[in-house]
Amino acid sequence: MPDTIYLDDAATTRMRPEVLDAMMPYLTEMYGNPSSIHSFGAQCNAACEKARKTIAGLINAKDNEIYFTSGGTESDNWAIKSVAYMKKDKGRHIITSAIEHHAVMETCEALIREGFEVTFVGVDEMGIIKMDDLRAAIRPDTVLISVIYANNEIGTIQPIREIGELARSKGVLFHTDAVQAFGHVPIDVEAEKIDMLSASAHKVNGPKGVGMLYMRNSARIPPMVHGGPHERRRRAGTLNVPGIVGFGKAAELAGAGMPENMAKVTAMRDYLIDRILAEIPHSRLNGDRVRRLPGNANISFRYIEGESMLMMVDMKGIAASTGSACASGSLDPSHVLLAIGLPHEIAHGSLRMTMSERTTKEELDYTVEALKEVVGKLRSMSPLYEDAVKNKEV
Ligand SMILES: *Cc1c(COP(=O)(O)O)cnc(C)c1O
C-alpha cells in the first residue's frame, strides 16, 4: 500500500513519466524561441506543431483550429468574453448551465456586471441539462451557448451532440468546457457540432499551466491577450514549448489508451460506488449512474459534514475532495449539488473521489474501510444523527 491514496484526479493528475521525458530536452538544451527563424527556433516550432496535430486529432479538429493557452481557465475566459464583445451589436444574451465550473460561471457573472444578460439553465436530479428549458431560453439576441461537457464535481456527461445541433440550427455559437472530458472520453467536434472547446493538460496527465482553446475556423473570435503575432495572431506570447510538448505527449498517450483505460477506470469506479452504497447506510450517489465520467464517484453521507470527513480521511492517507478544489475552504455548499436538488444539509456531507487507471482495488478496499470508520465516528458525535435516531428515522 502506498503512503497516500490519491483520489483527486478531477483536481489535477500525476504527470506520466513519458510526458516528463518528452519535455526534458525543451527544458534544457532545446531552448529556442519557436518564433525565431534559426534552426534552434525551428526545431522548437516543429515540436509544438507536432503536439498541435496530436491534440487536434484527438477531437477530430484541424491543426489550425487549436490555440495554446495557459490552461482551462484562460480558454473559458477567452471563448466567452470574446464572443460577447464581438457580437454585442447583434445581441447581449448568453446561455449557460447552472452547473458550470467557476471559470465559466464567474466569467458570466463578470459579463453580467458589464451589462450582458445570462440565462443559467437548470439540470434534472441527475445533473443533465433540461433540454426543453435550453431550447426555450434561446432568443433572437442570444449569441452564445456554453455548457460544460462533463461536470467536475458529479461527473455527469451532457447531451453535447443534441446541444450542438440545437445551437447550429439557431445560428448560435456553441462553446463547451471539456477540461474534465478531454482525453478521458471520446470527443468529436464535427459530429457534436462544437464551435469552441476548452481543455487543460494537467487534467490529463500533462503539466500544469498549459491548455488550449479549439476554435472552429468559421467561428473566429478576436484575441483576448494582445501582443506579438503568435498563434496565428490570436493569442500573443512566446509559446510554452515544454508545456505544449508535454500536453501533446499526454494527449497521445490518452488517445492510445482510451478504450482500455475507460473500461478499467469505470470498473474501479463502480466497485467503489457499489461497496459504499451497500455498506454505509444513508449514503447516496450524486449524478447519473451511467452518463458519467469513468473516474468520478460523488457520494453524500447523511448527518455528517464533508469538511470533517475530508480531514479525517486525509489523516488516514486518502486524498479526496468535498467538491471542486476551488470551492474548498468556503462554507457554502456546492452550487452543483444544490442545482441537482440536494438540500443544504445533505449537500454538506458530500465527498468526491476521482480516480485514474493507476488506482487499485486494494486502495479502494482500504478507502471503503476508512470511510466506514470515519462516517461511524462522525455520526456518533452528530446531534443531527442523534435526533434522527430519537425520531426513529434511522
Ligand atoms: C480544472 C478545470 C478548469 C480549469 O482549468 P485550469 O487549467 O486549472 O485553469 C476549468 N474547467 C473545468 C471543468 C475544470 O475541471
Side-chain angles (χ1 to χ4, degrees), residues 7 12 27 114 117 147 159 165 221 235 240 254 257 262 295 313 323 327 330 341 379:
L7 296 179
T12 197
L27 290 160
E114 290 179 36
E117 261 189 90
V147 175
E165 280 168 3
I221 60 169
R235 201 283 190 180
N240 171 0
M262 280 179 71
V313 300
S330 109
R379 280 185 181 158

Side-chain angles (χ1 to χ4, degrees), residues 67-78 103 179 198-203 206-213 224-225 231 234-241 243-244 247:
Y67 297 84
F68 290 115
T69 65
S70 65
T73 302
E74 184 190 323
S75 299
D76 286 341
N77 270 266
W78 182 15
V179 172
S198 307
S200 178
H202 78 98
K203 301 290 177 79
K208 292 167 183 60
V210 58
M212 65 90 171
L213 181 66
M224 185 172 74
V225 176
E231 297 295 270
R234 286 209 148 59
R235 201 283 190 180
T238 300
L239 298 194
N240 171 0
V241 180
I244 290 167
F247 190 11

Side-chain angles (χ1 to χ4, degrees), residues 8 17-18 30 50 66 78 95 170 271 276 305:
D8 206 11
E18 301 95 312
M30 306 276 280
K50 181 170 171 243
I66 303 296
W78 182 15
I95 301 174
K170 300 284 184 182
Y271 176 75
I276 292 175
E305 214 272 301

Side-chain angles (χ1 to χ4, degrees), residues 299-344:
I299 305 210
S300 294
F301 301 90
R302 271 191 90 161
Y303 312 112
I304 54 180
E305 214 272 301
E307 295 283 318
S308 324
M309 193 169 26
L310 194 64
M311 276 164 4
M312 286 174 72
V313 300
D314 181 41
M315 288 194 286
K316 292 180 176 295
I318 300 166
S321 161
T322 48
S324 68
C326 329
S328 309
S330 109
L331 287 176
D332 296 333
S334 129
H335 66 285
V336 175
L337 296 178
L338 296 182
I340 62 170
L342 283 197
H344 277 236

Side-chain angles (χ1 to χ4, degrees), residues 109-123:
E109 294 291 347
L111 286 173
I112 291 172
R113 291 192 289 275
E114 290 179 36
F116 290 88
E117 261 189 90
V118 180
T119 302
F120 295 88
V121 176
V123 296

